[in-house]
Amino acid sequence: MLPPTAPHEDIIVVSSPGYLEKLSEQLLSQSTQRTIQAYLLWQIINEYAPSLSEEIRKPLQRLNAKLRGTNAKVTKPRWETCLDQVDLSLGFLAGRYFVLETFKRSTKARADEFVESIKESFLNRLPELEWLDEVTRDRAIEKAHGIIHKVGYPTKTPNTMSPVSLSDYYSELAIDQDDYFGNYLRSREWLIMKNWRRAGKPTDKSTWEMTPAIVNAYYNPVYQEIVFPAGILQAPFFSGEYPDYLNYGGIGAVVGHELSHAYDNNGRHFDAKGRLREWWTKETLEAFEKKTTCFVDQYSNFTMEDEDGHLINVNGKLTLGENIADNGGIRQSYVAWKKVYDKKKDSKENMLLPGLENITPEQLFFINYGRIWCGKSTKAQAKQSILTDEHSPPKWRVIGALQNSKYFADVFKCSAGSPMNPVDKCDLW
Ligand SMILES: [Zn+2]
């Protein structure tokens, strides 16, 4: 569905050249034309069938239920499907109403504070790291200073608060009240067109990869930015009513996570200006790689059970970047919170929770970290995730990062050498 006017660029950046090579050598050249045609056709069915009538949707639902180990009769509530669809097609427009309803000005100010304090704790940590030499450390500091953060919603392309800007942004997308499938098709086409038009033009750094209502966050190495949509600035990650220690154990850890992505095995390749350049000295790079093998080994030992009771190991290499980010994130957030906390222990922001007076704020920080990853999935789904998701399963995201945290071990008085306080901890940022 490429637009006829798709521009032809002389230079195309391929971020995974190995994939393309193997795709033609090992897959396309060894598959029959019929197989490839069937695959393409299947992709179209898989993509479009969910937006068609029930008799067409049903077989696909049965297949997906089988793959996920769920009951085919249990489907997403209709309102959820509709909301997803609106977010996919008109996410910034819908996001305006979401933001007006849920996002307070004070939330933005609080989030800015989190980011600043966590960045500061990261910067304070750098001189302590003995494996980092002077040259690389200075460049790492420069990079941290260069990272910008966006919170809540875009204010330019489009400006979520301006009906005029939103109307301009979506002006070429025709929506017809009586044509659900047509709307879906046109919105896909519109998005592809919009992306193609960006090719060859100067980068517009005010754009967002996520819409305001999404419960997620990201680090974009090329723009050198960490981004937190309004959707994730809600409980259990954040609440204006929460004490600081819950917010730092929640959104604080997420901020630290995204910041640490700038220094994980992928993000580290980009320099302070977001260019793909080697800025590490050879010695420091070797030390970095040695330290990362500790994480690869640790997480590769974690397992989940599949439907047949077989244990599947987490792929420590696939999940390395996310694990580095989790470990850096929880540490930076804890240190940042402690600094704030020690200054104003008796403040309203650090009040103890009624009924939980026997749990310390330090412990509650970590408890909320566990709470943000609470979830439930079937064994079939867990298996699918462990094979394809670059995040470790939620359970191991919590246990893995906390096993490495000396603060966690102190706060919960875990004896040395016990499962949650192993003697050999992995440690990086
Ligand atoms: Zn991540």
Side-chain angles (χ1 to χ4, degrees), residues 257 261 322 391:
H257 172 103
H261 267 316
E322 292 301 331
H391 301 88

Side-chain angles (χ1 to χ4, degrees), residues 29-50:
S29 64
Q30 291 179 32
S31 308
T32 64
Q33 219 170 43
R34 200 180 150 77
T35 306
I36 296 171
Q37 279 169 354
Y39 173 77
L40 293 174
L41 204 59
W42 165 246
Q43 286 300 324
I44 292 178
I45 295 170
N46 199 24
E47 173 80 20
Y48 293 100

Side-chain angles (χ1 to χ4, degrees), residues 331-343:
R331 184 187 204 287
Q332 289 146 28
S333 185
Y334 186 77
V335 172
W337 167 66
K338 264 307 239 183
K339 207 172 158 196
V340 180
Y341 176 62
D342 288 344
K343 266 190 242 157

